[in-house]
Amino acid sequence: MKYCTIAGEPLNPEIYHQFLKATGIKLHEGFGQTETVLTIGTTPWMEPKPGSMGKPMPKLGVDIIHPDGESCREGEEGEIVIRPQTKFPFGMFMGYYKDEERTNSVWHDGIYHTGDIAWKDEDGYLWFVGRTDDVIKCSGYRIGPFEVESALLEHPAVLETAITAVPDELRGQVVKATIVLAKGYSPSDELKKELQNHVKKTTAPYKYPRIVEFVDELPKTISGKIRRVEIREADEKKTQE
């Protein structure tokens, strides 16, 4: 192997470093959707930044915007959108089949809305935060699940994890971590506290998962994407019961 790319889920820095250590190859990440071609990527001639999606592909009109439509500055989080030069750019879908309402929800004001949140650094590299539906709002803070997941994956006990929001009367929402443990580790209150403290030290104290659930496997699509919505729906059913 000489060149490797990844798709499906954001590339956690820990996976990048482990793969580099084992193969000597730097993984190149990209971002696209079923509705689009590759819109952001790390090309073969670019130096990868672990955890970054890379830079916008040319001629697509990729931008990051605030809810009011203004472009974000460096370091500011916003939605990834495409400002096409033509009505339907090459490689992009024309609309959802027989679903005009859904099509209009993402195509409006001459802009295609991806529904994904990211930010841009000083070198023009983009960093994924999460889906708009997945971003957690806790006590006035906006918490991206990807950052918390990346922190947890640095711990040797964590094989896989998914971060979701759980409603909370005082904070609005709190962070929940659904975790698949690596071999040799068993669920315990001590391990839960250890993982919580690890996130506090690695990210920020307010981002740690107040709820930790250990499971045998995570719900996924046929292509391997984690179905966080399924975890949220299961939690909602539990609260209703």
Side-chain angles (χ1 to χ4, degrees):
M1 292 190 297
K2 295 182 179 180
Y3 176 73
C4 293
T5 62
I6 71 102
E9 282 283 320
L11 176 62
N12 293 285
E14 180 65 15
I15 296 174
Y16 174 94
H17 292 303
Q18 291 293 336
F19 191 86
L20 177 60
K21 181 179 178 181
T23 66
I25 296 174
K26 298 177 180 179
L27 288 171
H28 288 237
E29 185 174 1
F31 169 86
Q33 296 183 311
T34 303
E35 297 89 342
T36 72
V37 291
L38 183 72
T39 54
I40 301 164
T42 310
T43 53
W45 52 88
M46 286 172 55
E47 180 64 24
K49 285 190 177 185
S52 168
M53 299 182 286
K55 296 182 179 182
M57 294 294 99
K59 297 185 178 181
L60 279 177
V62 176
D63 194 8
I64 299 178
I65 65 172
H66 292 294
D68 62 6
E70 291 294 317
S71 296
C72 295
R73 293 178 293 182
E74 293 176 4
E76 293 181 339
E77 294 182 2
E79 183 187 11
I80 303 170
V81 299
I82 295 176
R83 302 180 186 273
Q85 297 176 356
T86 59
K87 187 175 182 181
F88 295 110
F90 176 76
M92 289 189 64
F93 81 134
M94 297 178 65
Y96 297 108
Y97 184 61
K98 293 185 178 180
D99 196 339
E100 185 177 357
E101 182 178 353
R102 188 181 176 196
T103 299
N104 292 336
S105 70
V106 297
W107 271 115
H108 54 85
D109 301 318
I111 297 174
Y112 170 67
H113 294 257
T114 66
D116 287 300
I117 305 298
W119 60 276
K120 180 173 64 176
D121 68 17
E122 66 278 3
D123 297 320
Y125 283 71
L126 272 61
W127 301 76
F128 186 79
V129 174
R131 292 287 298 172
T132 51
D133 294 340
D134 292 336
V135 173
I136 302 164
K137 299 174 183 176
C138 178
S139 300
Y141 292 105
R142 285 167 55 90
I143 304 170
F146 177 61
E147 183 182 6
V148 183
E149 289 171 358
S150 295
L152 282 169
L153 285 171
E154 292 179 8
H155 195 284
V158 180
L159 179 65
E160 287 185 307
T161 183
I163 296 298
T164 53
V166 173
D168 184 83
E169 291 185 2
L170 293 177
R171 300 175 178 86
Q173 293 177 326
V174 293
V175 178
K176 176 189 176 182
T178 305
I179 297 172
V180 177
L181 292 175
K183 290 183 180 180
Y185 291 89
S186 301
S188 67
D189 289 337
E190 291 76 18
L191 180 57
K192 173 184 173 182
K193 292 178 181 177
E194 183 179 334
L195 293 174
Q196 289 174 325
N197 289 330
H198 174 74
V199 173
K200 289 179 182 179
K201 294 177 182 177
T202 307
T203 58
Y206 67 88
K207 294 182 180 181
Y208 84 96
R210 295 178 181 273
I211 301 173
V212 176
E213 180 181 7
F214 298 109
V215 297
D216 293 330
E217 61 181 5
L218 296 174
K220 296 179 181 178
T221 66
I222 193 170
S223 62
K225 292 183 179 181
I226 298 172
R227 283 184 46 80
R228 293 170 183 81
V229 64
E230 190 171 321
I231 297 174
R232 289 198 299 267
E233 290 174 349
D235 287 336
E236 289 176 4
K237 287 183 180 179
K238 290 177 184 178
T239 55
Q240 292 173 358
E241 293 173 354

